[in-house]
Amino acid sequence: MHNSNISTPLLASPPTSSSPSVISLLKISKTPRDLRQLHALAIKTGLFRDPLIAAEVLRSSVLFKHRDLRYGRSVFDQMPEPNCFSWNTLIRAYAESDDSPFEALVLFSRMLLCENTQPNQFTFPSALKACALVEAIEAGKQIHGHVIKLGWGGDAFVLTNLVRMYAFCGFMEDAQKLVEKSSLFPDNEASIVLHNILIDGYFRLGMVEHARKVFDRMENKSVVSWNGMISKYAQIGYLKEAISVFRQMQLEGVKHNYVTLVSVLPAIARLGALELGEWVHAYAEKNNIEVDDVLGSALVDMYSKCGNIDKAVQVFEKLPKHNPITWSSVIGGLAMHGRANEAIDYFRRMEKDGVTPTDVVFIGVLNACSHAGLVAEGRSYLDRMVKLYGLSPRIEHYGCLVDMLGRAGLLEEAEELLLNMPVKPDHVIYKALLASCKRHGNAKIGMHIANRLMEQVSDDGDSYVLLSNLFASLGDWGNVAKVRLLMKKLDVRKDPGCSWITVNGKIHEFVVEDYSHPQSKEIYLMLEEMTDKLQEAGYVPDTTQVLLNIDEEKKEMALFYHSEKIAIAFGLISTSPGTTLHVVKNLRICGDCHSSTKLISKIYGRKIIVRDRSRFHHFDNGVCSCNEYW
DNA sequence: TTAGGGTTAG
C-alpha cells in the first residue's frame, strides 16, 4: 500500500541525500513511526550503509524517547559492520534493561572477537554495570583485565563502575582497594563518587559499621555523601542514626538540599518526631525548596505519622499536582487515624480525578475499612481492585481483610480466607488473626492458627509471646509455661515494648520499668500521683491484661510500669499545662493503658495522641478516637 | 556517559 496518506509532518519535506540532515531528522523524530519510516528510507536509499547513519538509527531506537530494545536489536543485526559507537549503544541498552542485562555481556564478548573494534571508555561502564546487576564476578574480573590492558583504569567512569561491580558482587576488599588507590591522586570529585559507591555497597551487604567507617574517614564529603548516609540509614530502620547524620551535617555547615529533606522525612515520620518534622517543613519554605509531589508525599506522610493528620491533609491540598503516591500518603494517613469515611472520600476523589489507583492505594483504603469496622465496604473495595483495575491482591491486602474480619469478630470467615487465599500466609497475617482470637477469646481457632504459625516460624519471638498470651487469657497457665520454656530453649526473644515522647526536640525513650532516665525519680513520683488520681476517678486496674501467672498485686504493679504510662508521666511533668502529648509505642497499646489514658486525658486536661503499632489513638476529655475499635 | 529521594497489612 502506498503510504502517502500516513505521511507525517517530519516527512512532508523528504530528506536530502546528505547524511547530516538524515541524522538531524532522526534526532528530532518523536514517534516510533517516524523512526521506522526514516529507517526504511535509509535502507531504501542506501544511506543505512553509512555507519554514522546506521548508528544514529540504532541510538534513536534504544535510547531516550523510544527505548524499543527489540527493534534496536533488529537494526543492529542489519548492520554489516557495526562501529564501536553502535556496539556501545546496544551494550548500554541491554545493561540498563530490566529483563536482559546478561545479553550485554554476551554482546561484549562478541565485540572482543571483532577485529576492527575495541572496547573503549564508553563500553566498559555498561559492561561492568551488567556484571553488577547479574553479579557476574568472574566476567567482571575478566573485564577488569581488559580495562587494564587497554589503559582505561584511570577513567573516572570506568573506575566507578569497576568499584560498583565489585561491591554489588560482594567483593568489598577489591572495591576498597580500588578506592584507596584512587585516593592517592585526590581529584576530589571522582574520589568522592567512588567513596559514595563503596558506602552504598557496604549498606547493601548489611555491613553498616563498615559503611560508617568509610563515611567518617572521608576527608571531603559532598552533599550526596551526606544524603546517601541519611537515606540508607532510614531505609534499614536506623532512624536515630539517620537523624543524627542530618544534624551533624548541619553542624558542619553543609546546607540541606531537596534530596536531604526527602531522605530524612521518612525517619522523622517513623520516629514520630513532630517538632523536627515541622522544622524541616519550615526549612523548605524558608530556603525556597519547592514542595512538589515528591517532597509533598514525604511531608504528608510525616505529618500523619507524627499525629497531625489535619496538617497532613492541608499540605496535600496545597500540592501543585497529585500522583498515586501522594494519594496513598493521604489515604493511608486518614486510615491510620481511624478517619475511614474521609479516606474513602479521598479515594473517590482520586478516581474522579482520573488517577488510576495502585495496589498501595488499596492497602490504605482496606486498612481504613479494617480500623472502622466497615466490613461490607472492605470486601467491595477488594472486589473493585480486582475486577475494575485488574490488580492482584498481595499478602498485604489479605492482611487487611483478615484483620478486618478478625477485629469484627468474624473469626471463622477470617480463618477461611486465610487458609484459602492464593498467596502463602506469612507470620504477620497469622499473628493478626491470633491477636483477634485472643481479643475475642476464641481458643479453637486460636489453636489452629497457632499450630500453623509454629510450623513456619522458629525465631520470631513475638509469635511465641502472642501464643503464650492467648493461653494466659484463657487461664491455661500450663501451656503458658510450656511456651515460655520453649522460647528459652530456642533462645528467642520478643521485641521489648518501648514508648517514646519528644520534648524540646529531644526524644526520650522508655521501656517497661525503666529507671534509666535522669529524671527517673520525678517520673515515678508522677506515676504515683497519676495512680492515686486514677483510683479517685474510679479506675480499676484491668489485671487480665497482665499475662503472667503472678499474684494480683504484682500484676497491678506490672501495669503501672508499662512504658507508655512512663512516657505520659514524663510528658506531664516536662511540658506546660494544656500541651498536647505525642507518644509513640512500638507494640499495640494494651487495654489497661488504653482505659487509663482516657481517664488521664480528662483528669489532667490534656490531649494525648498515642501512635501504636497499628494505628493512632487521640485521647481527649476521657474518650478515644478509636471508639474502642482497635 | 558515573553518586543521593516519597506511599505499602500487624
Side-chain angles (χ1 to χ4, degrees):
Chain A
M1 195 176 78
H2 194 256
N3 68 358
S4 63
N5 59 336
I6 55 161
S7 76
T8 64
L10 264 180
L11 290 182
S13 49
T16 65
S17 60
S18 68
S19 316
S21 71
V22 175
I23 289 181
S24 55
L25 274 176
L26 280 163
K27 281 191 173 151
I28 56 168
S29 73
K30 286 217 172 60
T31 66
R33 201 174 66 175
D34 289 343
L35 175 69
R36 278 159 208 245
Q37 287 185 357
L38 284 164
H39 179 199
L41 194 74
I43 289 186
K44 207 164 112 190
T45 55
L47 284 170
F48 191 77
R49 280 195 297 271
D50 179 341
L52 283 181
I53 290 186
E56 188 56 36
V57 173
L58 174 62
R59 199 183 71 99
S60 302
S61 64
V62 295
L63 301 178
F64 312 119
K65 45 213 178 212
H66 300 307
R67 285 200 178 273
D68 185 343
L69 202 45
R70 203 148 17 121
Y71 189 71
R73 183 57 186 250
S74 72
V75 174
F76 183 81
D77 289 339
Q78 284 170 349
M79 297 179 179
E81 219 176 304
N83 63 10
C84 188
F85 187 92
S86 294
W87 281 103
N88 292 348
T89 305
L90 197 63
I91 290 173
R92 179 178 159 216
Y94 277 116
E96 287 174 356
S97 71
D98 295 327
D99 51 346
S100 42
F102 188 76
E103 188 60 23
L105 298 180
V106 176
L107 276 170
F108 179 80
S109 48
R110 263 182 57 193
M111 183 184 185
L112 286 177
L113 297 175
C114 285
E115 279 180 11
N116 300 326
T117 48
Q118 249 189 359
N120 62 12
Q121 77 272 39
F122 301 108
T123 326
F124 289 119
S126 302
L128 291 165
K129 191 180 275 177
C131 293
L133 282 177
V134 300
E135 296 187 24
I137 182 64
E138 284 312 317
K141 282 181 175 168
Q142 283 180 28
I143 294 173
H144 191 176
H146 290 291
V147 166
I148 292 168
K149 203 173 75 192
L150 295 172
W152 291 113
D155 183 90
F157 290 83
V158 175
L159 206 47
T160 51
N161 283 289
L162 268 173
V163 171
R164 200 167 47 175
M165 183 275 294
Y166 280 118
F168 271 48
C169 295
F171 284 63
M172 294 310 295
E173 277 179 25
D174 299 77
Q176 180 107 35
K177 252 186 242 159
L178 277 175
V179 174
E180 276 162 17
K181 222 160 73 186
S182 81
S183 311
L184 299 177
F185 320 94
D187 164 7
N188 275 337
E189 286 277 325
S191 170
I192 291 172
V193 174
L194 290 179
H195 280 84
N196 293 347
I197 295 173
L198 191 64
I199 290 171
D200 185 53
Y202 279 124
F203 268 113
R204 289 173 57 91
L205 293 169
M207 299 167 77
V208 183
E209 298 306 316
H210 284 78
R212 183 59 190 245
K213 216 177 262 172
V214 175
F215 178 76
D216 286 340
R217 283 187 188 160
M218 279 174 82
E219 277 179 34
N220 298 294
K221 301 179 177 80
S222 68
V223 65
V224 178
S225 322
W226 289 96
N227 294 349
M229 281 309 279
I230 293 169
S231 62
K232 291 294 178 308
Y233 268 143
Q235 279 161 17
I236 58 167
Y238 282 43
L239 310 177
K240 284 178 217 150
E241 287 79 359
I243 285 169
S244 119
V245 173
F246 178 77
R247 292 209 161 109
Q248 195 191 335
M249 175 180 184
Q250 195 184 10
L251 286 176
E252 296 194 14
V254 184
K255 255 181 91 88
H256 306 316
N257 68 8
Y258 172 88
V259 178
T260 319
L261 306 191
V262 176
S263 306
V264 78
L265 279 168
I268 295 174
R270 285 177 60 186
L271 275 172
L274 179 62
E275 290 171 41
L276 185 56
E278 287 169 334
W279 185 89
V280 167
H281 191 186
Y283 181 94
E285 287 180 342
K286 215 166 44 196
N287 291 280
N288 289 321
I289 293 176
E290 193 202 356
V291 179
D292 61 1
D293 50 339
V294 175
L295 181 52
S297 55
L299 281 171
V300 169
D301 183 57
M302 179 279 292
Y303 277 117
S304 39
K305 288 211 172 79
C306 291
N308 195 341
I309 183 64
D310 294 323
K311 184 73 186 176
V313 170
Q314 205 183 314
V315 172
F316 174 84
E317 295 296 352
K318 275 213 259 174
L319 295 182
K321 67 173 182 170
H322 294 134
N323 64 33
I325 299 184
T326 59
W327 286 104
S328 306
S329 305
V330 76
I331 291 170
L334 288 163
M336 249 189 290
H337 286 268
R339 286 161 63 164
N341 291 320
E342 285 163 84
I344 290 171
D345 286 344
Y346 270 86
F347 178 76
R348 293 205 181 113
R349 212 177 106 195
M350 170 183 177
E351 282 187 313
K352 228 168 86 193
D353 282 5
V355 180
T356 306
T358 59
D359 52 358
V360 179
V361 176
F362 276 101
I363 293 173
V365 175
L366 294 174
N367 198 19
C369 295
S370 164
H371 286 295
L374 303 175
V375 175
E377 288 84 345
R379 286 192 233 252
S380 92
Y381 278 113
L382 189 77
D383 207 46
R384 190 174 183 75
M385 161 172 155
V386 176
K387 296 205 175 120
L388 189 62
Y389 294 105
L391 298 165
S392 314
R394 299 199 317 238
I395 187 92
E396 289 89 341
H397 300 93
Y398 289 111
C400 290
L401 241 65
V402 166
D403 191 47
M404 176 181 83
L405 296 167
R407 283 170 198 268
L410 302 168
L411 297 167
E412 283 85 10
E413 254 183 276
E415 185 188 22
E416 202 190 311
L417 175 64
L418 191 154
L419 298 179
N420 295 315
M421 62 190 193
V423 291
K424 192 172 172 278
D426 62 1
H427 65 105
V428 176
I429 202 163
Y430 281 127
K431 283 193 283 186
L433 184 52
L434 200 52
S436 291
C437 289
K438 175 180 163 271
R439 198 165 157 71
H440 293 281
N442 190 321
K444 193 172 137 238
I445 296 180
M447 284 304 294
H448 281 176
I449 297 302
N451 282 330
R452 291 184 164 259
L453 180 59
M454 290 303 130
E455 278 169 22
Q456 76 172 77
V457 178
S458 59
D459 59 349
D460 180 51
D462 294 340
S463 303
Y464 291 91
V465 172
L466 208 46
L467 183 58
S468 122
N469 287 356
L470 174 70
F471 288 130
S473 67
L474 299 166
D476 184 350
W477 301 110
N479 270 321
V480 171
K482 265 191 207 160
V483 176
R484 298 277 168 175
L485 203 68
L486 189 62
M487 285 178 73
K488 214 171 223 172
K489 219 167 100 187
L490 297 172
D491 195 30
V492 289
R493 265 162 255 247
K494 74 162 201 137
D495 280 350
C498 74
S499 301
W500 58 93
I501 183 169
T502 311
V503 173
N504 295 328
K506 195 170 178 282
I507 295 168
H508 300 263
E509 191 179 317
F510 301 95
V511 293
V512 76
E513 287 186 64
D514 196 328
Y515 295 93
S516 64
H517 195 276
Q519 282 163 267
S520 173
K521 211 168 150 192
E522 291 97 312
I523 295 171
Y524 279 85
L525 281 172
M526 187 64 199
L527 272 170
E528 276 177 35
E529 185 198 302
M530 280 158 62
T531 314
D532 290 345
K533 291 206 174 171
L534 279 169
Q535 270 164 5
E536 279 169 33
Y539 155 83
V540 183
D542 178 3
T543 50
T544 62
Q545 301 285 339
V546 182
L547 303 165
L548 297 169
N549 190 18
I550 51 177
D551 66 49
E552 286 297 309
E553 196 184 333
K554 275 193 186 150
K555 281 188 185 178
E556 285 185 24
M557 292 298 282
L559 285 174
F560 185 67
Y561 295 129
H562 273 184
S563 63
E564 54 269 55
K565 289 205 181 82
I566 305 177
I568 290 169
F570 176 69
L572 287 173
I573 59 169
S574 41
T575 56
S576 47
T579 312
T580 299
L581 301 182
H582 289 263
V583 174
V584 183
K585 176 160 193 194
N586 67 339
L587 307 176
R588 270 206 217 178
I589 187 170
C590 85
D592 180 75
C593 285
H594 194 266
S595 46
S596 42
T597 307
K598 279 195 289 188
L599 281 171
I600 291 166
S601 74
K602 188 169 181 176
I603 295 167
Y604 290 92
R606 298 277 199 129
K607 283 187 187 163
I608 302 173
I609 300 176
V610 178
R611 184 181 97 193
D612 74 7
R613 195 183 185 122
S614 93
R615 60 166 297 155
F616 271 95
H617 301 264
H618 295 249
F619 298 95
D620 189 14
N621 198 29
V623 287
C624 176
S625 63
C626 77
N627 292 320
E628 309 305 303
Y629 199 97
W630 89 97

